[in-house]
Amino acid sequence: MILQTVKHNRLLLRVPGFLFCMSLFLLSGCSEPAQYRLNLVAVHKVELANDSSFESEHQLEPIADILEAMFGTPDLPQIPPVPGIEDVLDIDKLYMAAGPYGTDEHGKAQGLYRQHCVHCHGISGDGAGPTAAILNPYPRDYRLGKFKFKSTASGSKPTHGDLKKTIENGMTGTAMPSFKLLDSDEVEALVHYVKYLSIRGEVERYLIEDGDQFAELFTAVFKDHSQLSDDEKEEIDEMSTEEIKEEQETVDAEIVYLKSQENLVENVMEFVLSKWIEADDNVLEIKPKPEMNLKELEESMANGRKLFFSKDAACSTCHGDTALGDGQTAADFYDDWTEIPGGFYDPKNPESLPEFLALGALEPRKLRPRNLRQGVYRGGRRPIDIFWRIRNGIDGSKMPAAKEVALTDEEVWNLVDFVRSALPYDQLSRPLVHKPENTKEIN
Amino acid sequence: MMLVCATFPLIWVGGLVTTQKAGMAVPDWPSTYGYNLFLYPWQTWLFGPYDLFLEHGHRILGALVGMVAIGLLVSILYCDARKHLIILAVIALVAVIIQGVLGGARVIQDEILLAKIHGCFGPFFFMLAVALEVITSKRWSQMRLPCKDSQTSTSLADSQQIAGLKRLAVSTAVFAYLQLLLGAQIRHISPMTSHGNFRIAVVFHVFVAFVVLGHVLLLTTKVWRHQDKLKLLRSVTLVASLLVIGQVCLGVATYTAKYAWPAILPGGDYFAGLLIEAESFTQTMIVTGHVATGSLILAVTTTAALYCFKYYPSEFRLPRISGTTLRGVIA
């Protein structure tokens, strides 16, 4: 009897061996060391616009070198020596957030970003971490330097406190978690790291995209004939070998200048950093919400309703007549991280999309105005939060600032009351049918 | 004599399984438990009392499992020297040692690849241990073999059916293991992984989940419909079915606790107001539960496969199930 079992167990013994081999096979995808990735999506965008490809030795490599010299590596961050930067970034905090995670010899946490954020926001802060593709909305790409939920005027940077609030409270209804279980100084460190990645990303984009930096260097003189675009071919063919040599020297000299402290501090950093330094000055002064009795509140809501459907505020054009978020009519409605110029996608030229996706861009997704009948606010649900949203707009997501359409603060409070209190909740048991997007345009 | 020899390891193995459950659940746990989900915290035993407790506990348990494995080998050598048992016990011991070294290396080098191997090897060892337990147990040696009596009356169709059952049982266990491997891929992501690859891993994990579910349900129905009444096999498959169904729900819960209600499922509006709280008690519990149940399913399906083989032994000449057929099943 035992013998029989043995015979059959031979098969059973073989199975584990097979499984073992299979696990080794699955593991074969080896892990790369942590490195910043160049913003190739931005590079390709410029290449398409200029009809000329970037040359690696004279454009891509110098850009990467500059970035590393200024900002260090993911394991050892650095702050470029620029006046005023110490008000924005704190190197000790960055050390705490950077690097592989664990604890230092004093038991202090380290590598917080890689412990808590990197799988969504990515090692370079590009919002394209491993989990990004399965999330909706996508995690924030910090490199654009735009943030949605903040107390500052439209187009300005968030304050330190705004970012801290976002990280502590998370964003309801999105994958962005609340980190309120972390120590306060750990959150501080993460705020600094987010700003650092953001500034680094903006500098990178500036170096790649700005006409006075690397974008328009005439590197055709260094390129292999096969790399040249038709225009470049023509130009190069007309040049003599000496002229080409001369031109090469000019480009080399330009690169030396572009790499110089003078350029980096006075042009690049000045452009990027000043907005971060000014952020605190751009917080809008707001008189506190007036106290109201019931009757006044009703009046305020009624006024808010009028404004909501009015031509000026035009909230309903996006959020819909029912406020279900189904009113926007544009066929191409994408956020600034997706659509050019901030993003990469040009709805008028969708053929180039696969090239960007191959470079790691995330599939474009249509931007949806919020369904205001669920009482869900990503940027916080206090009246003041909603006041900021309406008054300042939501950067990067096309929701305009009420200031631009000349609403007074009082009218904004009316809208806040209307949005918060006058809209019926979407009944979950019998939800209203959303209008199909773009019905207005199709009809 | 035989009996004594069989019961002695049994006592040991009873202990082993208990430690296994604890010992094998724990390696999966600390990573989820403490402060990270995707990567094992290394050096966290320095970090705070809770982490210290977990990591240290993990190490102590690992050592304990190692010692039990030695004891098991010794007792098998003395009392129940079935050759394949000795081989299995030796493999188990070597596996424990390798796993221990891997764990140590993972901590020292902080290498995600090692963490993955450590994570994949854990369930593998668990499967071995379960196999050992099943084979040495009293239930195993006392299992009645009804087929023997009815051998003469069994038709060819029946024997083919049984062969099919065995094959199904084995592939169920194989898929259960594959699923754990995929799960480990998802848990231990390196920061440099591309989002495309991760999405593929997730989709594949979900796909294999349904493959496992289908296999387990099919196996259960087959076993229950079969005329022979083998209570043990029946209850094992039933438990497997319940576990897998629960596991799918836990999987959805895990996704929701980490990222949000999966958009492909209906009912998203109910979760519109969900705020995810990183490393909250609920989140870690759900995720850990998912991981632990995964190991449990592997154990149960392995047991079921072994029982199938024991219950329908060699009198029926089976088409040999070789690695190639198995691969065929998987492909």
Side-chain angles (χ1 to χ4, degrees):
Chain A
M1 187 191 93
I2 290 170
L3 270 178
Q4 286 159 5
T5 335
V6 172
K7 245 189 232 158
H8 278 279
N9 281 334
R10 211 175 288 153
L11 162 69
L12 287 182
L13 284 176
R14 210 175 291 146
V15 170
F18 167 67
L19 290 183
F20 187 66
C21 297
M22 203 162 63
S23 32
L24 286 183
F25 169 72
L26 259 178
L27 287 167
S28 53
C30 200
S31 45
E32 285 172 68
Q35 273 170 348
Y36 287 128
R37 289 203 179 101
L38 202 59
N39 191 342
L40 291 178
V41 169
V43 167
H44 192 58
K45 188 171 64 179
V46 174
E47 285 176 343
L48 285 186
N50 295 354
D51 189 23
S52 141
S53 62
F54 270 55
E55 208 266 338
S56 81
E57 199 183 324
H58 297 88
Q59 281 167 304
L60 299 180
E61 280 170 26
I63 292 176
D65 291 347
I66 291 176
L67 286 170
E68 185 162 339
M70 289 173 92
F71 294 97
T73 63
D75 288 342
L76 193 63
Q78 223 168 282
I79 297 182
V82 183
I85 199 158
E86 62 285 351
D87 296 337
V88 181
L89 297 177
D90 174 345
I91 189 73
D92 290 327
K93 288 273 166 10
L94 292 186
Y95 288 149
M96 215 173 135
Y101 60 85
T103 35
D104 66 8
E105 56 276 28
H106 310 296
K108 242 172 98 182
Q110 270 183 333
L112 292 163
Y113 185 77
R114 254 181 258 177
Q115 186 175 4
H116 298 296
C117 321
V118 78
H119 48 278
C120 290
H121 290 283
I123 193 88
S124 331
D126 55 7
T131 63
I134 60 169
L135 305 181
N136 191 358
Y138 291 132
R140 182 74 63 256
D141 175 354
Y142 305 137
R143 299 171 307 177
L144 205 61
K146 277 193 188 179
F147 292 86
K148 285 183 185 171
F149 303 115
K150 55 198 176 58
S151 57
T152 53
S154 161
S156 23
K157 301 292 174 194
T159 64
H160 189 86
D162 290 336
L163 289 174
K164 189 165 179 184
K165 180 172 157 285
T166 304
I167 296 169
E168 269 173 356
N169 294 350
M171 288 150 98
T172 317
T174 76
M176 172 70 197
S178 146
F179 288 92
K180 59 168 168 283
L181 296 177
L182 298 190
D183 286 349
S184 168
D185 67 326
E186 293 178 359
V187 175
E188 278 290 317
L190 287 164
V191 174
H192 279 281
Y193 202 70
V194 167
K195 290 198 282 187
Y196 158 82
L197 285 178
S198 192
I199 291 171
R200 184 186 173 282
E202 285 176 273
V203 165
E204 178 180 22
R205 273 167 26 94
Y206 191 80
L207 291 172
I208 292 172
E209 293 177 6
D210 190 80
D212 291 334
Q213 301 292 328
F214 286 88
E216 283 164 23
L217 282 185
F218 190 60
T219 48
V221 283
F222 293 106
K223 284 183 203 161
D224 215 46
H225 211 70
S226 61
Q227 290 178 316
L228 296 173
S229 69
D230 293 343
D231 286 351
E232 284 173 339
K233 263 195 200 119
E234 248 171 59
E235 261 180 273
I236 295 285
D237 288 344
E238 277 169 21
M239 288 166 82
S240 67
T241 355
E242 269 133 57
E243 279 173 322
I244 289 184
K245 240 216 169 110
E246 238 167 65
E247 188 60 32
Q248 283 177 339
E249 273 158 27
T250 324
V251 173
D252 276 335
E254 276 178 281
I255 292 174
V256 170
Y257 168 72
L258 291 179
K259 282 175 124 172
S260 69
Q261 281 300 308
E262 191 188 344
N263 175 48
L264 296 178
V265 173
E266 281 168 26
N267 301 328
V268 182
M269 281 308 280
E270 168 63 23
F271 176 81
V272 173
L273 196 63
S274 53
K275 290 208 189 119
W276 283 97
I277 296 176
E278 287 158 12
D280 286 329
D281 307 333
N282 290 333
V283 179
L284 296 175
E285 296 260 334
I286 302 169
K287 283 191 228 90
K289 187 175 186 318
E291 287 286 323
M292 281 188 253
N293 60 30
L294 202 63
K295 190 154 167 290
E296 283 165 333
L297 181 67
E298 265 168 20
E299 266 167 33
S300 168
M301 291 190 313
N303 204 15
R305 177 187 303 275
K306 244 187 265 155
L307 287 164
F308 192 84
F309 293 102
S310 71
K311 266 233 167 70
D312 286 345
C315 312
S316 62
T317 54
C318 285
H319 291 283
D321 293 341
T322 49
L324 286 167
D326 52 3
Q328 57 86 13
T329 53
D332 302 309
F333 200 60
Y334 297 95
D335 66 23
D336 289 1
W337 289 271
T338 307
E339 195 171 348
I340 50 167
F344 56 92
Y345 183 52
D346 181 357
K348 290 184 207 79
N349 179 18
E351 307 89 64
S352 61
L353 182 61
E355 296 158 28
F356 287 108
L357 297 184
L359 292 173
L362 290 156
E363 191 90 42
R365 274 201 202 123
K366 266 193 99 163
L367 176 61
R368 298 206 48 172
R370 190 86 69 255
N371 174 354
L372 296 176
R373 293 173 65 161
Q374 287 178 325
V376 174
Y377 304 104
R378 294 183 184 169
R381 52 183 307 138
R382 299 171 306 170
I384 183 71
D385 293 323
I386 300 170
F387 182 95
W388 280 329
R389 297 300 90 79
I390 298 175
R391 163 73 198 258
N392 298 338
I394 300 179
D395 272 8
S397 73
K398 300 219 166 135
M399 159 125 167
K403 217 180 65 188
E404 285 160 19
V405 291
L407 296 186
T408 64
D409 279 5
E410 202 194 331
E411 286 171 320
V412 173
W413 280 122
N414 294 154
L415 276 166
V416 172
D417 285 333
F418 171 70
V419 167
R420 288 193 66 212
S421 318
L423 284 165
Y425 274 97
D426 210 351
Q427 267 180 310
L428 286 175
S429 50
R430 224 160 20 92
L432 287 172
V433 182
H434 289 239
K435 278 196 265 178
E437 279 182 329
N438 310 321
T439 34
K440 284 185 192 164
E441 184 162 83
I442 291 160
N443 296 333
Chain B
M1 177 69 179
M2 254 302 270
L3 196 80
V4 183
C5 295
T7 26
F8 187 53
L10 193 80
I11 301 163
W12 271 107
V13 172
L16 177 62
V17 165
T18 335
T19 33
Q20 283 319 318
K21 292 248 161 74
M24 272 297 121
V26 168
D28 292 337
W29 294 40
S31 57
T32 324
Y33 235 27
Y35 287 80
N36 335 82
L37 198 70
F38 288 104
L39 314 158
Y40 285 150
W42 69 293
Q43 288 189 343
T44 29
W45 45 285
L46 283 174
F47 187 70
Y50 188 50
D51 284 11
L52 178 100
F53 169 70
L54 283 177
E55 174 70 16
H56 206 63
H58 179 37
R59 285 164 193 207
I60 290 176
L61 272 174
L64 211 67
V65 169
M67 285 188 288
V68 174
I70 296 174
L72 176 72
L73 180 60
V74 170
S75 57
I76 285 180
L77 277 176
Y78 274 93
C79 308
D80 182 6
R82 283 183 271 175
K83 201 168 148 219
H84 66 282
L85 261 189
I86 299 176
I87 297 174
L88 234 93
V90 170
I91 296 180
L93 181 59
V94 173
V96 179
I97 294 170
I98 295 181
Q99 176 73 343
V101 173
L102 273 175
R106 189 265 171 278
V107 170
I108 296 163
Q109 304 208 338
D110 187 29
E111 177 57 65
I112 288 167
L113 182 67
L114 283 175
K116 276 190 189 173
I117 299 179
H118 190 63
C120 291
F121 207 64
F124 179 75
F125 173 67
F126 187 42
M127 203 152 76
L128 265 179
V130 169
L132 264 172
E133 194 275 342
V134 170
I135 296 174
T136 49
S137 73
K138 219 181 216 160
R139 275 165 284 140
W140 180 261
S141 48
Q142 288 181 351
M143 211 193 272
R144 282 181 306 114
L145 298 172
C147 317
K148 232 179 194 170
D149 319 326
S150 56
Q151 186 196 356
T152 39
S153 63
T154 323
S155 65
L156 188 70
D158 214 24
S159 80
Q160 269 172 356
Q161 218 180 39
I162 285 165
L165 188 69
K166 287 186 184 180
R167 211 174 313 154
L168 185 67
V170 172
S171 54
T172 308
V174 171
F175 276 120
Y177 184 66
L178 177 69
Q179 182 69 341
L180 283 193
L181 294 192
L182 284 169
Q185 302 294 305
I186 291 174
R187 281 159 51 76
H188 305 274
I189 35 176
S190 121
M192 304 304 281
T193 309
S194 81
H195 49 79
N197 286 349
F198 184 76
R199 184 167 52 181
I200 292 170
V202 171
V203 170
F204 204 44
H205 191 61
V206 172
F207 173 72
V208 176
F210 284 102
V211 173
V212 173
L213 180 68
H215 268 73
V216 166
L217 290 183
L218 196 65
L219 185 67
T220 312
T221 10
K222 273 200 170 174
V223 166
W224 278 70
R225 279 167 113 197
H226 208 270
Q227 63 274 41
D228 304 330
K229 293 190 194 65
L230 180 61
K231 275 214 197 102
L232 261 177
L233 193 52
R234 283 191 167 198
S235 41
V236 166
T237 49
L238 186 65
V239 169
S241 296
L242 294 179
L243 277 178
V244 174
I245 293 170
Q247 179 73 339
V248 170
C249 301
L250 265 177
V252 173
T254 301
Y255 192 97
T256 308
K258 285 294 290 177
Y259 305 123
W261 182 252
I264 49 164
L265 296 179
D269 283 346
Y270 288 92
F271 293 88
L274 183 75
L275 172 67
I276 291 157
E277 205 179 302
E279 272 107 50
S280 66
F281 186 72
T282 344
Q283 191 188 51
T284 48
M285 274 308 165
I286 291 177
V287 177
T288 311
H290 188 57
V291 171
T293 312
S295 288
L296 219 57
I297 289 176
L298 182 66
V300 177
T301 49
T302 309
T303 312
L306 286 169
Y307 280 168
C308 274
F309 274 80
K310 171 73 176 180
Y311 192 52
Y312 304 109
S314 57
E315 274 80 1
F316 306 99
R317 291 272 15 129
L318 307 170
R320 259 171 46 115
I321 308 174
S322 64
T324 8
T325 11
L326 265 180
R327 242 168 262 145
V329 172
I330 288 159

Coordinates of all heavy atoms in Angstrom, one line a residue, chain B residues 116-158:
Chain B
K116 N 11.0 39.7 -2.7 CA 10.1 39.0 -3.5 C 10.3 37.5 -3.4 O 9.4 36.7 -3.3 CB 10.2 39.4 -5.0 CG 9.5 40.7 -5.4 CD 9.5 40.8 -6.9 CE 8.9 42.1 -7.3 NZ 9.2 42.3 -8.8
I117 N 11.6 37.1 -3.5 CA 12.0 35.7 -3.4 C 11.5 35.2 -2.1 O 10.9 34.1 -2.0 CB 13.5 35.5 -3.7 CG1 13.8 36.0 -5.1 CG2 13.8 34.0 -3.5 CD1 15.3 35.8 -5.4
H118 N 11.9 35.9 -1.1 CA 11.5 35.5 0.3 C 10.0 35.4 0.4 O 9.5 34.4 0.9 CB 12.0 36.7 1.2 CG 11.8 36.3 2.7 ND1 12.6 35.3 3.3 CD2 11.1 36.9 3.7 CE1 12.3 35.2 4.6 NE2 11.4 36.2 4.8
G119 N 9.3 36.3 -0.2 CA 7.8 36.2 -0.2 C 7.2 35.1 -1.0 O 6.2 34.5 -0.6
C120 N 7.9 34.7 -2.1 CA 7.4 33.6 -3.0 C 7.8 32.3 -2.4 O 7.1 31.3 -2.5 CB 8.0 33.7 -4.4 SG 7.4 35.1 -5.3
F121 N 8.9 32.2 -1.7 CA 9.4 31.0 -1.2 C 8.6 30.6 0.1 O 8.4 29.4 0.3 CB 10.9 31.1 -0.8 CG 11.6 29.8 -0.9 CD1 11.8 29.2 -2.1 CD2 12.2 29.3 0.3 CE1 12.4 28.0 -2.1 CE2 12.9 28.1 0.2 CZ 13.0 27.4 -1.0
G122 N 8.1 31.6 0.8 CA 7.3 31.3 2.0 C 6.2 30.4 1.7 O 6.1 29.3 2.3
P123 N 5.3 30.7 0.8 CA 4.2 29.8 0.5 C 4.6 28.5 0.0 O 3.9 27.5 0.2 CB 3.4 30.6 -0.6 CG 3.9 32.0 -0.6 CD 5.2 32.0 0.1
F124 N 5.7 28.5 -0.7 CA 6.3 27.2 -1.3 C 6.6 26.3 -0.1 O 6.2 25.1 -0.1 CB 7.5 27.5 -2.1 CG 8.2 26.3 -2.6 CD1 7.7 25.7 -3.7 CD2 9.4 25.8 -2.1 CE1 8.3 24.5 -4.3 CE2 10.0 24.7 -2.6 CZ 9.4 24.1 -3.7
F125 N 7.3 26.8 0.9 CA 7.6 26.0 2.0 C 6.3 25.6 2.8 O 6.2 24.5 3.3 CB 8.5 26.8 3.0 CG 8.7 26.1 4.3 CD1 9.4 24.9 4.3 CD2 8.2 26.6 5.4 CE1 9.6 24.2 5.5 CE2 8.4 25.9 6.6 CZ 9.1 24.8 6.7
F126 N 5.4 26.5 2.8 CA 4.1 26.2 3.5 C 3.5 25.0 2.9 O 3.0 24.1 3.6 CB 3.2 27.5 3.4 CG 2.0 27.4 4.2 CD1 2.0 26.8 5.5 CD2 0.8 27.8 3.7 CE1 0.8 26.7 6.2 CE2 -0.4 27.7 4.4 CZ -0.3 27.2 5.7
M127 N 3.5 25.0 1.6 CA 2.9 23.9 0.8 C 3.6 22.6 1.2 O 2.9 21.6 1.5 CB 3.0 24.1 -0.7 CG 2.0 23.4 -1.5 SD 1.7 24.3 -3.0 CE 3.2 23.9 -3.9
L128 N 4.9 22.6 1.3 CA 5.7 21.4 1.6 C 5.2 20.9 3.0 O 5.0 19.7 3.2 CB 7.1 21.8 1.7 CG 8.0 21.5 0.5 CD1 9.4 21.9 0.7 CD2 7.9 20.0 0.2
A129 N 5.1 21.9 3.9 CA 4.8 21.5 5.3 C 3.4 20.9 5.4 O 3.2 19.9 6.1 CB 4.9 22.7 6.2
V130 N 2.5 21.5 4.6 CA 1.2 21.0 4.6 C 1.2 19.5 4.1 O 0.6 18.6 4.6 CB 0.2 21.8 3.8 CG1 -1.1 21.1 3.6 CG2 0.0 23.2 4.5
A131 N 1.9 19.3 3.0 CA 2.0 18.0 2.4 C 2.5 17.0 3.4 O 2.0 15.9 3.6 CB 2.9 18.1 1.2
L132 N 3.6 17.4 4.1 CA 4.2 16.6 5.2 C 3.1 16.2 6.2 O 3.0 15.1 6.6 CB 5.3 17.3 5.8 CG 6.7 16.9 5.3 CD1 7.7 17.8 5.9 CD2 7.0 15.5 5.6
E133 N 2.4 17.2 6.6 CA 1.5 17.0 7.7 C 0.4 16.0 7.2 O 0.1 15.1 7.9 CB 0.8 18.3 8.1 CG 0.0 18.3 9.4 CD -1.4 17.8 9.2 OE1 -1.9 17.8 8.0 OE2 -2.0 17.4 10.2
V134 N -0.1 16.2 6.0 CA -1.1 15.4 5.5 C -0.7 13.9 5.4 O -1.4 13.0 5.8 CB -1.6 15.9 4.1 CG1 -2.5 14.9 3.5 CG2 -2.3 17.2 4.3
I135 N 0.5 13.8 4.9 CA 1.0 12.4 4.6 C 1.3 11.7 5.9 O 1.1 10.5 6.0 CB 2.2 12.4 3.7 CG1 1.8 13.0 2.4 CG2 2.8 11.0 3.6 CD1 3.0 13.2 1.4
T136 N 1.8 12.4 6.9 CA 2.1 11.7 8.2 C 1.0 11.5 9.1 O 1.1 10.9 10.1 CB 3.3 12.4 8.9 OG1 2.9 13.8 9.0 CG2 4.6 12.2 8.2
S137 N -0.1 12.2 8.8 CA -1.2 12.2 9.8 C -1.9 10.9 9.9 O -1.8 10.0 9.0 CB -2.2 13.3 9.4 OG -3.0 12.8 8.3
K138 N -2.6 10.7 11.0 CA -3.4 9.5 11.2 C -4.5 9.4 10.2 O -4.8 8.3 9.7 CB -4.0 9.6 12.6 CG -4.0 8.3 13.4 CD -4.7 8.6 14.7 CE -4.1 7.8 15.9 NZ -4.4 8.4 17.2
R139 N -5.1 10.5 9.9 CA -6.2 10.5 8.9 C -5.7 9.8 7.6 O -6.4 9.1 7.0 CB -6.6 11.9 8.6 CG -7.6 12.5 9.5 CD -7.7 14.0 9.4 NE -6.5 14.7 9.9 CZ -5.9 15.7 9.4 NH1 -6.2 16.2 8.2 NH2 -4.9 16.2 10.0
W140 N -4.5 10.2 7.2 CA -4.0 9.7 6.0 C -3.8 8.2 6.0 O -4.3 7.5 5.1 CB -2.6 10.3 5.8 CG -1.9 9.9 4.5 CD1 -0.9 9.0 4.4 CD2 -2.1 10.5 3.2 NE1 -0.5 9.0 3.1 CE2 -1.2 9.9 2.4 CE3 -3.0 11.5 2.7 CZ2 -1.1 10.2 1.0 CZ3 -2.9 11.8 1.4 CH2 -2.0 11.1 0.5
S141 N -3.2 7.6 7.1 CA -3.0 6.2 7.0 C -4.3 5.4 7.3 O -4.4 4.3 7.0 CB -1.9 5.8 8.1 OG -2.2 6.4 9.3
Q142 N -5.2 6.1 7.9 CA -6.5 5.4 8.2 C -7.5 5.6 7.2 O -8.6 5.0 7.3 CB -7.0 5.9 9.6 CG -6.2 5.4 10.7 CD -6.7 5.9 12.0 OE1 -7.7 6.7 12.1 NE2 -6.2 5.3 13.1
M143 N -7.2 6.3 6.2 CA -8.2 6.6 5.2 C -8.6 5.3 4.5 O -7.8 4.6 4.0 CB -7.6 7.6 4.2 CG -8.7 8.5 3.6 SD -8.0 9.3 2.2 CE -7.3 10.7 2.9
R144 N -9.9 5.1 4.4 CA -10.3 3.9 3.8 C -10.2 4.0 2.3 O -10.3 5.1 1.7 CB -11.8 3.6 4.1 CG -12.0 3.0 5.5 CD -13.4 2.8 5.9 NE -14.2 4.0 5.7 CZ -15.2 4.1 4.7 NH1 -15.4 3.1 3.9 NH2 -15.9 5.2 4.6
L145 N -10.0 2.9 1.6 CA -9.8 3.0 0.2 C -10.9 2.2 -0.5 O -10.8 1.0 -0.8 CB -8.5 2.4 -0.2 CG -7.3 3.1 0.4 CD1 -6.0 2.3 0.1 CD2 -7.2 4.5 -0.2
P146 N -12.1 2.8 -0.6 CA -13.2 2.1 -1.1 C -13.0 1.6 -2.6 O -13.6 0.6 -3.0 CB -14.3 3.1 -1.1 CG -13.6 4.4 -1.1 CD -12.3 4.2 -0.5
C147 N -12.2 2.3 -3.3 CA -12.0 1.9 -4.7 C -11.5 0.5 -4.8 O -11.7 -0.2 -5.8 CB -11.0 2.9 -5.3 SG -11.3 4.5 -4.8
K148 N -10.7 0.2 -3.8 CA -10.1 -1.2 -3.9 C -11.2 -2.2 -4.0 O -11.1 -3.2 -4.8 CB -9.2 -1.4 -2.7 CG -7.8 -1.8 -3.0 CD -7.0 -2.0 -1.8 CE -5.5 -2.1 -2.1 NZ -4.7 -2.1 -0.9
D149 N -12.1 -2.1 -3.1 CA -13.2 -3.1 -3.0 C -14.0 -3.1 -4.3 O -14.4 -4.1 -4.8 CB -14.1 -2.8 -1.9 CG -13.4 -2.3 -0.7 OD1 -12.2 -2.8 -0.5 OD2 -13.9 -1.5 0.1
S150 N -14.2 -1.9 -4.9 CA -15.1 -1.8 -6.0 C -14.3 -1.9 -7.3 O -14.8 -1.6 -8.4 CB -15.9 -0.5 -6.0 OG -15.0 0.5 -5.9
Q151 N -13.0 -2.2 -7.2 CA -12.1 -2.1 -8.3 C -12.7 -2.9 -9.5 O -12.7 -2.3 -10.6 CB -10.8 -2.8 -7.9 CG -9.8 -2.6 -9.0 CD -8.6 -3.5 -8.8 OE1 -8.6 -4.2 -7.7 NE2 -7.7 -3.6 -9.7
T152 N -13.1 -4.1 -9.3 CA -13.6 -4.9 -10.4 C -14.7 -4.3 -11.2 O -14.8 -4.4 -12.4 CB -14.0 -6.3 -9.9 OG1 -14.7 -6.1 -8.7 CG2 -12.7 -7.2 -9.7
S153 N -15.6 -3.6 -10.5 CA -16.7 -3.1 -11.1 C -16.5 -1.7 -11.7 O -17.4 -1.1 -12.3 CB -17.9 -3.0 -10.1 OG -17.6 -2.1 -9.1
T154 N -15.3 -1.2 -11.5 CA -15.1 0.2 -12.0 C -14.9 0.2 -13.5 O -14.1 -0.6 -14.0 CB -13.9 0.9 -11.3 OG1 -13.9 0.5 -10.0 CG2 -14.0 2.4 -11.5
S155 N -15.6 1.0 -14.2 CA -15.5 1.0 -15.6 C -14.3 1.9 -16.0 O -13.8 2.7 -15.2 CB -16.8 1.5 -16.2 OG -16.9 2.9 -15.8
L156 N -14.0 1.9 -17.3 CA -12.9 2.7 -17.8 C -13.3 4.2 -17.7 O -12.5 5.1 -17.4 CB -12.6 2.3 -19.3 CG -11.4 3.0 -19.9 CD1 -10.1 2.4 -19.3 CD2 -11.4 2.8 -21.4
A157 N -14.6 4.5 -18.1 CA -15.0 5.9 -18.0 C -14.8 6.4 -16.6 O -14.3 7.6 -16.5 CB -16.5 5.9 -18.4
D158 N -15.1 5.6 -15.7 CA -14.9 6.1 -14.3 C -13.4 6.4 -14.0 O -13.1 7.4 -13.4 CB -15.4 4.9 -13.4 CG -16.0 5.5 -12.1 OD1 -16.5 6.7 -12.2 OD2 -16.0 4.9 -11.1

